[in-house]
Amino acid sequence: LFSGDAQDKANAIAHLKRALDQWKDLVAVAERHYVPRDIWMMGGFSWGKYTSDVQRDLEIASTAQSFPSGSQVWQVASAGNGIPSFQNVSIRTYGPFVAAGFHSWLLYEASLVNWDTIEAMAGRSTTYVWRRALAAQPGRVWVLETPSTVTAKVKMSGQTITPLVTAVPDNGGNVSLAHGYKLYPLGASGMVEAMLGAGVVPAVTAVAAPSSIRVELRGSPAANVRPPLEKTSSGVLQAPMSGLPPAHPLNFLSTEVYKAASATFEVRLTQPGFYKIRCQLLAPRGEDPVVPFSFDGSSQRGNQLSGRSSADWQWVSNRRGIPLGAGIHTLTIYVRDPGEQIKAIEVESVE
C-alpha cells in the first residue's frame, strides 16, 4: 500500500493464498471433532462459517491500489540557539484523506518515510521549526495535522493556533496512533509556522470549508438493504422483524457492530474534508438512540449517531468530523433495534 511495488503485492497475495489453504485445513479438522453451536452475542458458530471472510481478504489484496503519494515543499531549520537557518526541503506525502480509517496512520507514515532526509539536511536536534506560505483556494480552508501524541506550537501569520484533538481512547484510556490526531485550523491563507519535536513531519491540506458541502440522501437511493431491513414505497428504511440483539454501548460490544440490519448509500464528495453525518431516525421505544455507522467498511470506535429520548422523528448525529477524501464513499447505517426507521441522511462539511 505504501511502496506501490508490484512484488510486494504479489508476496502479500501469495501469503494470503497459503493462509486460505491452512484455514480450510483447520475447518476440515474442526468439523471432525466439533458440531456447530450458539455462542452468546455471536449466534451460530463454526470455523467453516468464516471461510468466505478469509477468501474476502484475498479479494481485497488482489484489487487493492497503493496509496497515492505526492510532495510538499517546506522550509525547515533546527531550533537551536541563535537565528534558525532555514533550508528548503521536499517531503513525500500520503494524502491522509484517501482512505477512511487510515487517516492517523497516513499522518504517522509521513514522518517515518521523511525523517532520514530531514535530519541529514537540517542536522540533529530535539526541536525543529517548519514554515510554509499557503495561498487561498476557493471554498477551502487550510488545516495542519499531527499525530495525537505530538506536542506542537503552531502559528498562522503570527497568531497562535489552538489544536482540536480528535482521538478515540481504548479501554485503558490510551490513544493509539491508529485513532488519534491533532487538527490545527489555519484559515484561508497566510504563513504557517510549526515548532515540532524530532521525528515529526507536519502535513497541511486544503479541505472543504465548514458547511460548503452538504449532501442529502433519502431512503430510496440506498445501494442495498440487508434483511431484516425493508424498503417501503415511501422510501423509508425500517427493521420490522423481531430477534435483533438489544442495544448496548459500543464499548461493551468492542469495535464491531451487528451487520444484519443495515442500509448502504453511495456518497460522492467533491473535496477532501471533515464531514458530519446526520440521520433522520424514529426510535419507537423512546430510548436514547445510538446508531453505528461506517465509511468504506471502516467501523472505528466512536463512529455512532446519537440523540435524545423521543417517540417522534428526530435528527441524530455524530460528535466529530470524519476525514474523507474527494470521490465516492460507501456509507453504511446499522439499525440495532426492531422498529427503528431511517427516513433521510445528510452529510455536511464541518471544521
Side-chain angles (χ1 to χ4, degrees), residues 319-343:
R319 295 180 179 179
R320 60 190 180 93
I322 306 297
L324 297 169
I328 297 176
H329 296 273
T330 301
L331 168 63
T332 302
I333 304 291
Y334 304 99
V335 174
R336 303 196 302 174
D337 276 339
E340 283 186 345
Q341 299 181 42
I342 301 172
K343 183 183 291 185

Side-chain angles (χ1 to χ4, degrees), residues 45-46 52 57 60 69 73 87 167 194 207 249 260 275 285 337:
F45 173 81
S46 68
S52 61
D57 288 342
I60 292 172
S69 61
V73 177
Q87 300 185 60
V207 300
Y275 292 90
R285 293 184 179 181
D337 276 339

Side-chain angles (χ1 to χ4, degrees), residues 103-104 145-149 163-169 175-183 274 300 319-323 351:
H103 193 78
S104 296
E145 296 178 276
T146 67
S148 60
T149 54
L164 305 174
V165 180
T166 302
V168 181
V175 177
S176 70
L177 289 170
H179 292 100
Y181 56 92
K182 289 182 180 178
L183 172 70
F274 299 87
Q300 289 190 322
R319 295 180 179 179
R320 60 190 180 93
I322 306 297
E351 186 173 64

Side-chain angles (χ1 to χ4, degrees), residues 9 16 31 36 39 69 87 89 92 96 98 102 106-107 125 164 171 179 186 199 292 322 342:
K9 182 175 182 178
L16 288 170
E31 287 180 345
I39 305 295
S69 61
Q87 300 185 60
V89 59
R92 184 179 181 183
V98 299
F102 280 89
L106 290 169
L107 290 172
S125 178
L164 305 174
N171 291 333
H179 292 100
L186 303 177
I322 306 297
I342 301 172

Side-chain angles (χ1 to χ4, degrees), residues 32-54:
R32 292 196 295 267
H33 293 276
Y34 302 99
V35 296
R37 58 168 294 179
D38 287 339
I39 305 295
W40 182 64
M41 295 185 67
M42 291 181 60
F45 173 81
S46 68
W47 295 106
K49 179 181 178 179
Y50 297 97
T51 300
S52 61
D53 294 312
V54 182

Side-chain angles (χ1 to χ4, degrees), residues 123-302:
R124 291 192 175 186
S125 178
T126 58
T127 310
Y128 294 81
V129 179
W130 299 76
R131 67 185 185 189
R132 186 180 185 214
L134 303 176
Q137 297 191 21
R140 297 193 182 190
V141 292
W142 289 95
V143 295
L144 182 146
E145 296 178 276
T146 67
S148 60
T149 54
V150 169
T151 300
K153 294 181 180 179
V154 178
K155 293 183 178 181
M156 184 65 167
S157 299
Q159 182 178 356
T160 299
I161 305 298
T162 301
L164 305 174
V165 180
T166 302
V168 181
D170 60 22
N171 291 333
N174 300 312
V175 177
S176 70
L177 289 170
H179 292 100
Y181 56 92
K182 289 182 180 178
L183 172 70
Y184 296 82
L186 303 177
S189 63
M191 174 67 76
V192 59
E193 182 175 288
M195 183 173 292
L196 299 167
V200 183
V201 171
V204 291
T205 310
V207 300
S211 302
S212 66
I213 294 180
R214 182 175 176 272
V215 181
E216 183 173 337
L217 302 170
R218 292 291 171 183
S220 54
N224 67 67
V225 179
R226 293 187 179 184
L229 283 179
E230 293 181 353
K231 190 188 302 182
T232 68
S233 59
S234 61
V236 174
L237 304 174
Q238 56 184 346
M241 297 176 61
S242 61
L244 291 181
H248 291 287
L250 280 185
N251 57 0
F252 181 71
L253 289 175
S254 72
T255 58
E256 295 188 356
V257 294
Y258 188 74
K259 297 183 179 180
S262 63
T264 302
F265 302 83
E266 286 190 347
V267 181
R268 184 187 299 272
L269 301 174
T270 59
Q271 297 178 16
F274 299 87
Y275 292 90
K276 187 174 184 179
I277 317 304
R278 299 178 71 235
C279 174
Q280 195 171 12
L281 176 75
L282 177 63
R285 293 184 179 181
E287 299 175 350
D288 293 343
V290 177
V291 183
F293 70 91
S294 69
F295 265 109
D296 304 331
S298 174
S299 301
Q300 289 190 322
R301 187 186 298 272

